[in-house]
């Protein structure tokens, strides 16, 4: 599969060269190629840049008369669906410890773990030509092209199963004004231990109407066949895409941080990065949970009730037995959390301020510290 | 004359229940009883009742007392499949015509919603938080999405009436 960079594509097309001076955006270049099928591959492994590129293509490229395949993979990240609750879906503590970002995509569906051993495929079409089955057939045919006896099948839920039991691909999609995109993952050689660790939610007692993931046992294609690494798979899928749809497109590399070719893309990536989108777009939910507080001499059960809307704590009631901690302290803590983000950093600042106000009493300080730490841990 | 034409255009969609009920009495769209089945159809028996207007994105708006109620059409809800989540805006949010104001998630995809008019959101259908399937079961009645002010009434003239919308849907199949 011939690889071209975006600038090569530009230089090789006469019409392109004229446009290059006037308006060398990606959509102009694509229009000038006159091709009805194109394959793009991202040079970036940044989840936010790649998600922004998806949105940019969807918004700016004319997809009425053409289709596109976009190939991309990311450094470790957890990606939740548009209407999901991250506190319900993943282990935010572990993610913070390991520097794994959370991203919320604009399509629906469930939560996935991305790393460089996972391939992402996005099929762009007009709404009329939106056909997930056909797209997944491209993937399964590409895999069978390598190993004809491989048992890979798309299910009714648009997952792809290996040997009828292990999920190797999940699907999500977005329907816009006139265009649609269907994207799916493909597990080649992902870090399965890390995958399990980050997709295990730690916040208990959540009541929410957010869309929930359906957990499935997964497997890497590389375990099934050692020749199936990410690059091989991307090449095969690109090839099969051309075959299936009758295109003859080379794979063109794209840099999603290139603002000149993709005007507005940096703003789109910033929007996706913002707390207001990733956490703030969580559907309204409540937390109602009991937890243990211990120190050297005693142990007790405390309860926490919170209502959260747009990621902001709207109401908060932390109850600790009065013989363990004075009621006014837990009440003060509850009151100070209201109106703030459900965010461990903000809560730690509030907790630190409160701890400073406690009169010189080491035991009381330790107990209060335990309580604050426990509450921060939930976030 | 126009009334007869309008009526004839709509009778094709009448379910048997509605034909029995339609005597020369004005029936407002609000009062018609909908059967909750796939044969659910749109009808307005009179041009004087609160008629629905449609966008080419398959949203409808019904104006009553200066407030527009917005929902999606039967065509749209069928195309979507079972709605599992309704992502709606906040009350007070200002919307421009054609601006994206939310999304409906179904097994099909997350489908964006586009405002039919310019105005401010006055109410959102909180029932949909617990029962998103109302959008499928009763897309013209209890499955409404938002209510909004109408800042620019002239925009309504640019929307399709039910006849034009029916023609528009037929043209999509071609």
């Amino acid at each position: 599969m011939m690889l071209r960079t975006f600038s090569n594509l530009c230089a090789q097309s006469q019409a392109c060269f004229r446009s290059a001076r006037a308006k060398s955006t990606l959509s102009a270049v694509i229009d000038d190629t006159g091709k009805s099928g194109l394959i793009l591959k991202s040079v970036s492994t940044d989840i936010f840049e790649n998600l922004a590129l998806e949105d940019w293509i969807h918004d700016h490229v004319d997809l009425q008369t053409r289709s596109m395949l976009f190939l991309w993979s990311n450094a470790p990240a957890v990606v939740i669906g548009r209407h999901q609750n991250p506190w319900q879906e993943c282990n935010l503590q572990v993610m913070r410890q390991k520097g794994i970002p959370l991203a919320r995509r604009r399509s629906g569906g469930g939560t996935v773990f991305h790393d460089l051993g996972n391939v992402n495929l996005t099929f762009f079409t007009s709404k009329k030509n939106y056909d997930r089955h056909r797209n997944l057939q491209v993937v399964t045919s590409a895999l069978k092209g390598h190993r004809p006896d491989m048992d890979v099948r798309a299910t009714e839920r648009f997952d792809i199963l290996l040997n009828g039991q292990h999920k190797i691909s999940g699907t999500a999609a977005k329907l816009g004004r006139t265009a649609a995109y269907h994207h799916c993952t493909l597990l080649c050689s992902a870090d399965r231990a890390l995958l399990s660790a980050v997709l295990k939610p730690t916040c208990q007692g959540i009541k929410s109407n957010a869309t929930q993931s359906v957990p499935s046992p997964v497997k890497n294609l590389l375990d099934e066949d050692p020749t199936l690494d990410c690059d091989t798979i991307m090449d095969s899928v690109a090839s099969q895409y051309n075959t299936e749809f009758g295109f003859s497109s080379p794979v063109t590399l794209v840099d999603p941080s290139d603002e000149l070719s993709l005007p507005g893309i940096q703003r789109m990536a910033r929007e996706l990065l913002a707390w207001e989108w990733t956490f703030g777009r969580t559907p309204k939910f409540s937390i109602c949970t009991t937890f243990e507080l211990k120190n050297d001499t005693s142990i007790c059960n405390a309860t926490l009730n919170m209502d959260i809307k747009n990621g902001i704590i709207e109401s908060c009631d932390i109850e600790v037995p009065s013989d363990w901690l004075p009621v006014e302290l837990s009440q003060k803590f509850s009151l100070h959390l209201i109106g703030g983000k459900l965010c461990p950093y903000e809560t730690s600042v509030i907790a630190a301020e409160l701890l400073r106000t406690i009169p010189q009493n080491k035991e009381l300080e330790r107990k209060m510290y335990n309580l604050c730490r426990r509450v921060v841990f939930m976030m | 004359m126009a009334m007869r034409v309008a009526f004839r255009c709509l009778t094709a969609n009448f379910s048997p229940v509605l034909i029995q009920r339609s005597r020369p009495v004005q029936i407002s769209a609000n009062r018609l009883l909908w059967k909750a089945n796939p044969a659910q159809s749109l009808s307005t028996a009179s041009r004087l009742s609160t008629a629905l207007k449609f966008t080419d994105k398959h949203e409808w708006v019904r104006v009553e007392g200066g407030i527009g109620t917005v929902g999606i059409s039967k065509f749209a809800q069928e195309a979507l499949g079972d709605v599992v989540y309704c992502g709606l805006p906040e009350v007070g949010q200002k919307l421009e015509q054609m601006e994206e104001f939310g999304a409906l998630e179904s097994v099909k995809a997350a489908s964006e919603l586009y405002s039919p008019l310019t105005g401010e959101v006055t109410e959102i259908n909180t029932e949909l938080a617990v029962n998103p399937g109302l959008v499928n079961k009763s897309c013209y009645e209890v499955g409404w999405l938002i209510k909004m002010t109408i800042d620019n009434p002239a925009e309504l003239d640019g929307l399709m009436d039910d006849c034009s919308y029916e023609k528009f849907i037929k043209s999509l199949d071609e």
Side-chain angles (χ1 to χ4, degrees):
Chain A
M1 179 64 40
M2 238 168 74
L3 276 184
R4 288 187 191 164
T5 61
F6 168 57
S7 52
N8 284 351
L9 188 67
C10 218
Q12 279 169 34
S13 160
Q14 275 268 339
C16 262
F17 188 70
R18 284 195 295 276
S19 309
R21 274 193 279 224
K23 178 183 78 162
S24 56
T25 65
L26 180 61
S27 57
V29 169
I30 288 171
D31 285 342
D32 285 342
T33 63
K35 281 183 179 277
S36 54
L38 273 144
I39 303 175
L40 298 181
K41 184 172 174 178
S42 177
V43 300
S44 168
T45 56
D46 181 289
I47 181 66
F48 302 103
E49 285 182 353
N50 287 324
L51 286 175
L53 183 52
E54 267 189 332
D55 287 338
W56 195 96
I57 293 171
H58 180 266
D59 291 350
H60 293 92
V61 176
D62 177 10
L63 294 162
Q64 293 316 295
T65 50
R66 75 167 56 80
S67 303
M68 280 172 58
L69 173 65
F70 173 44
L71 306 164
W72 44 300
S73 61
N74 304 303
V78 171
V79 186
I80 58 173
R82 185 174 181 146
H83 301 124
Q84 292 205 293
N85 181 328
W87 290 277
Q88 210 174 22
E89 295 292 334
C90 49
N91 189 331
L92 294 166
Q93 281 280 326
V94 164
M95 286 165 63
R96 273 188 284 269
Q97 279 161 18
K98 294 189 182 288
I100 296 173
L102 173 77
R104 180 187 295 269
R105 54 179 193 269
R106 295 196 194 276
S107 56
T111 300
V112 284
F113 170 71
H114 286 196
D115 69 10
L116 294 171
N118 172 66
V119 169
N120 298 297
L121 311 161
T122 309
F123 298 85
F124 292 93
T125 58
S126 62
K127 272 167 94 161
K128 215 172 177 178
N129 292 328
Y130 173 67
D131 186 345
R132 288 171 295 176
H133 274 303
R134 196 172 179 191
N135 297 337
L136 292 182
Q137 216 168 309
V138 167
V139 181
T140 51
S141 301
L143 293 173
K144 286 197 188 150
H146 276 278
R147 270 260 311 271
D149 62 339
M150 198 188 311
D151 178 5
V152 281
R153 270 173 280 158
T155 66
E156 275 172 7
R157 276 191 71 242
F158 304 100
D159 292 338
I160 299 179
L161 294 185
L162 178 64
N163 302 325
Q165 39 175 313
H166 289 107
K167 184 169 163 178
I168 57 167
S169 169
T171 265
K174 186 183 115 155
L175 301 176
R177 283 194 177 88
T178 49
Y181 64 72
H182 159 215
H183 50 203
C184 60
T185 53
L186 199 50
L187 286 172
C188 303
S189 54
D191 183 340
R192 282 183 45 201
L194 192 50
L195 185 153
S196 303
V198 298
L199 295 186
K200 200 192 335 232
T202 46
C203 189
Q204 302 295 314
I206 292 183
K207 258 210 283 271
S208 161
N209 69 338
T211 54
Q212 296 196 31
S213 298
V214 176
S216 312
V218 297
K219 195 172 181 184
N220 280 314
L221 281 165
L222 206 69
D223 295 337
E224 184 75 5
D225 184 333
T227 62
L228 290 175
D229 59 68
C230 288
D231 287 327
T232 306
I233 285 176
M234 284 205 211
D235 280 347
S236 309
V237 171
S239 217
Q240 188 63 33
Y241 179 76
N242 276 331
T243 306
E244 172 72 28
F245 293 102
F247 302 140
S248 57
S249 173
V251 176
T252 303
L253 297 180
V254 177
D255 178 0
S257 66
D258 182 355
E259 181 74 17
L260 281 175
S261 319
L262 307 159
I265 196 163
Q266 287 182 3
R267 179 191 49 83
M268 286 168 127
R270 275 198 302 274
E271 277 172 12
L272 288 165
L273 245 172
W275 190 95
E276 282 67 27
W277 172 255
T278 45
F279 290 98
R281 285 297 276 235
T282 305
K284 199 160 87 160
F285 70 103
S286 60
I287 305 177
C288 173
T289 187
T290 306
F291 54 95
E292 252 181 20
L293 290 168
K294 319 186 207 199
N295 66 359
D296 299 330
T297 52
S298 56
I299 191 171
C300 75
N301 283 326
T303 60
L304 178 141
N305 280 282
M306 267 187 190
D307 290 323
I308 298 109
K309 187 177 168 191
N310 300 327
I312 306 289
I313 300 168
E314 290 206 318
S315 75
C316 178
D317 183 28
I318 301 170
E319 280 187 19
V320 182
S322 54
D323 56 349
W324 207 83
L325 196 72
V327 168
E328 55 266 23
L329 275 180
S330 47
Q331 274 182 354
K332 209 172 175 186
F333 188 33
S334 303
L335 212 63
H336 277 70
L337 291 178
I338 294 172
K341 290 179 181 168
L342 188 67
C343 164
Y345 306 114
E346 277 203 14
T347 304
S348 298
V349 170
I350 292 167
E353 287 287 328
L354 263 177
L355 282 164
R356 268 199 281 276
T357 67
I358 291 176
Q360 298 272 347
N361 179 334
K362 280 217 149 49
E363 197 191 331
L364 201 61
E365 226 181 288
R366 254 201 306 267
K367 283 180 172 177
M368 188 64 192
Y369 175 79
N370 269 347
L371 172 66
C372 294
R373 195 166 145 270
R374 203 60 191 76
V375 170
V376 164
F377 189 77
M378 272 180 227
M379 301 184 182
Chain B
M1 180 68 185
M3 178 102 135
R4 264 188 278 131
V5 166
F7 192 74
R8 205 180 322 132
C9 184
L10 296 161
T11 49
N13 291 329
F14 268 41
S15 73
V17 170
L18 295 170
I19 286 171
Q20 283 161 33
R21 293 177 70 95
S22 65
R23 294 178 221 143
V25 166
Q26 230 176 64
I27 303 167
S28 112
N30 292 343
R31 289 171 164 279
L32 285 167
L33 291 172
W34 302 109
K35 262 192 171 180
N37 65 35
Q40 176 191 134
S41 57
L42 158 73
S43 76
T44 51
S46 158
R47 282 167 72 207
L48 297 172
S49 63
T50 47
L52 298 186
K53 292 291 219 126
F54 293 85
T55 70
D56 62 356
K57 300 285 165 283
H58 310 289
E59 280 110 8
W60 56 260
V61 58
R62 177 168 57 230
V63 181
E64 285 163 305
I67 295 290
T69 305
V70 179
I72 63 165
S73 70
K74 169 174 166 266
F75 179 86
Q77 68 81 11
E78 278 175 353
L80 263 180
D82 293 337
V83 175
V84 298
Y85 188 84
C86 301
L88 299 176
E90 298 285 310
V91 170
Q93 193 170 323
K94 289 188 164 49
L95 301 173
E96 295 285 320
Q97 192 181 36
M98 291 311 294
E99 188 185 339
E100 181 247 307
F101 71 82
L104 297 180
E105 188 166 341
S106 68
V107 289
K108 259 284 156 79
S111 297
E112 301 207 311
L113 296 164
Y114 301 96
S115 184
L117 303 167
T118 303
E120 187 178 310
V121 179
T122 56
E123 210 179 323
I124 62 169
N125 188 348
T126 51
E127 272 303 305
L128 298 179
V130 285
N131 193 353
L134 285 175
V135 174
N136 300 109
K137 292 194 209 54
S138 175
C139 58
Y140 295 115
E141 292 290 313
V142 294
W144 60 274
L145 301 173
I146 63 168
K147 292 188 199 269
M148 60 189 298
T149 61
I150 301 169
D151 291 359
N152 187 356
E155 284 170 348
L156 281 163
D157 298 335
L159 303 182
M160 289 180 267
D161 61 18
D162 38 30
C163 258
S164 313
Y165 180 65
E166 294 288 323
K167 285 199 198 112
F168 170 69
I169 297 175
K170 286 199 174 68
S171 74
L172 292 174
D173 286 333
E174 286 145 26

